[in-house]
């Protein structure tokens, strides 16, 4: 059965951990979906497979293009699409327009946006009122890289209280789930206990309701990974070997037989 936002909340109540990963194309999305991943995020982290240094240059058109490919592959998982930098921060109207395009043009079920400050809360409320499921994202928010860097967030008492309050306010504004990125595990646990909606952690310890990783990190496809990523296999090596074997066989006229 297809995963819904309500299902995720039920899983939290039942203590069933939520498995999330990112995808950027049809082939990867098909593999993840068939392997039983619950939530597939078309994250703006696909910047790494497009050769960008940060997530900032990603456009809404690029997200739509990749989200359509992902959506075509997915039968079961909930598909969530990141709204890229400056396609939702300007006004509620801009956010509505961008999120509307995601749902109408890609068939994805939800959008994700970064931050929990008052202007964002109003935006979330209005999107949710319009019937658009929204996922929140607090802690390290990579679209603010030029202000925050890529450092762990919530290290002081004051900063951790601010993140906790943002998470609570986002839940009140209507998000169905929230990503906690690169914050201390104790803070992530505190937020997870406080909220009714599921927390999905990345670099936020093991007590979140679910976990997400950037798939290219998990697969060892990227040149370098953030400190909190776990590399489960080294696809760079596997691909290099396959390509070198092919090159040798072509040059020795062994392929095709
Ligand atoms: O873009 C992304 O992959 C994300 C995850 C790290 C949550 O936002
Ligand atoms: Na993102």
């Amino acid at each position: 059965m297809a995963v819904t936002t309500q299902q995720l909340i039920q899983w939290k109540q039942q203590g069933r951990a939520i498995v999330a990963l990112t995808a950027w194309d049809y082939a990867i999305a098909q593999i993840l979906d068939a392997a039983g991943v619950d939530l597939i995020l078309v994250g703006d982290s696909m910047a790494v497979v497009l050769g960008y240094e940060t997530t900032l240059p990603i456009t809404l058109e690029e997200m739509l293009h990749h989200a359509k490919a992902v959506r075509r592959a997915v039968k079961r998982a909930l598909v969530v699409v990141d709204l890229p930098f400056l396609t939702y921060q300007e006004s509620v109207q801009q956010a509505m327009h961008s999120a509307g395009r995601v749902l109408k043009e890609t068939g994805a079920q939800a959008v994700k946006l970064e931050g929990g400050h008052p202007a964002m809360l109003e935006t979330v409320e209005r999107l949710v009122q319009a019937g658009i499921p929204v996922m929140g994202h607090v802690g390290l928010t990579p679209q603010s890289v030029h202000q925050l860097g890529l450092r762990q967030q919530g290290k002081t008492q004051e900063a951790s209280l601010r993140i906790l309050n943002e998470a609570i306010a986002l839940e009140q504004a209507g998000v169905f789930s929230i990503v906690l990125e690169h914050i201390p595990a104790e803070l992530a646990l505190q937020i997870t206990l406080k909220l009714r909606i599921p927390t999905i952690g990345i670099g936020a310890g093991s007590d979140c309701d679910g976990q997400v990783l950037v798939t290219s990190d998990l697969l060892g496809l990227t040149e370098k990974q953030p400190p909190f990523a776990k590399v489960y296999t080294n696809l760079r090596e596997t691909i290099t070997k396959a390509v070198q074997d092919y090159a040798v066989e072509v040059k020795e006229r062994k392929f095709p037989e």
Side-chain angles (χ1 to χ4, degrees):
M1 235 176 40
V3 177
T4 60
T5 56
Q6 293 88 343
Q7 176 75 81
L8 298 181
I9 295 170
Q10 259 181 29
W11 278 336
K12 170 168 182 143
Q13 289 163 355
Q14 297 162 357
R16 194 287 214 176
I18 297 161
V19 181
L21 278 175
T22 68
W24 58 90
D25 68 12
Y26 182 88
I28 292 284
Q30 202 173 41
I31 294 167
L32 302 188
D33 190 53
V37 172
D38 303 315
L39 185 156
I40 295 182
L41 173 69
V42 186
D44 57 0
S45 63
M46 76 172 176
V48 298
V49 296
L50 297 179
Y52 295 124
E53 289 277 332
T54 70
T55 59
L56 304 198
I58 295 275
T59 65
L60 185 61
E61 297 304 326
E62 286 170 324
M63 292 306 294
L64 293 169
H65 180 74
H66 287 262
K68 282 183 207 170
V70 167
R71 189 63 193 88
R72 283 194 285 266
V74 173
K75 295 195 170 77
R76 175 183 168 274
L78 185 80
V79 178
V80 182
V81 179
D82 267 348
L83 292 182
F85 182 54
L86 294 189
T87 68
Y88 62 97
Q89 291 96 335
E90 214 174 283
S91 62
V92 170
Q93 199 183 2
Q94 188 201 30
M96 194 72 76
H97 181 79
S98 300
R101 285 197 67 191
V102 169
L103 265 66
K104 292 179 86 134
E105 295 177 32
T106 75
Q109 291 96 334
V111 297
K112 176 163 78 60
L113 40 78
E114 295 184 3
H117 49 277
M120 203 44 60
L121 298 173
E122 192 199 342
T123 297
V124 169
E125 247 171 56
R126 293 284 299 280
L127 292 178
V128 172
Q129 279 167 10
I132 301 172
V134 180
M135 189 174 198
H137 185 157
V138 299
L140 176 60
T141 48
Q143 292 178 12
S144 307
V145 63
H146 298 312
Q147 280 169 340
L148 304 179
L150 295 173
R151 282 184 306 275
Q152 191 187 53
Q153 301 296 305
K155 289 216 276 216
T156 65
Q157 188 82 42
E158 193 193 344
S160 77
L161 188 62
R162 193 183 60 242
I163 294 170
L164 172 66
N165 286 331
E166 283 175 352
I168 293 169
L170 280 164
E171 172 171 87
Q172 283 164 354
V175 299
F176 68 87
S177 177
I178 187 166
V179 167
L180 307 178
E181 180 164 353
H182 210 6
I183 59 172
E186 315 79 71
L187 173 58
L189 172 61
Q190 203 187 349
I191 295 172
T192 300
L193 291 174
K194 191 93 187 168
L195 301 188
R196 190 184 64 91
I197 54 156
T199 58
I200 308 293
I202 175 162
S206 56
D207 292 318
C208 297
D209 298 302
Q211 297 288 329
V212 63
L213 272 181
V214 174
T215 297
S216 51
D217 291 335
L218 163 144
L219 296 177
L221 204 55
T222 35
E223 279 178 278
K224 50 179 195 287
Q225 291 82 27
F228 49 77
K230 181 169 172 186
V231 183
Y232 283 82
T233 185
N234 193 328
L235 273 198
R236 271 184 101 80
E237 270 174 21
T238 306
I239 293 172
T240 301
K241 171 81 168 57
V243 171
Q244 285 170 343
D245 289 351
Y246 167 71
V248 166
E249 292 198 358
V250 168
K251 286 175 181 163
E252 292 177 356
R253 304 205 183 278
K254 282 187 181 154
F255 174 83
E257 284 102 290

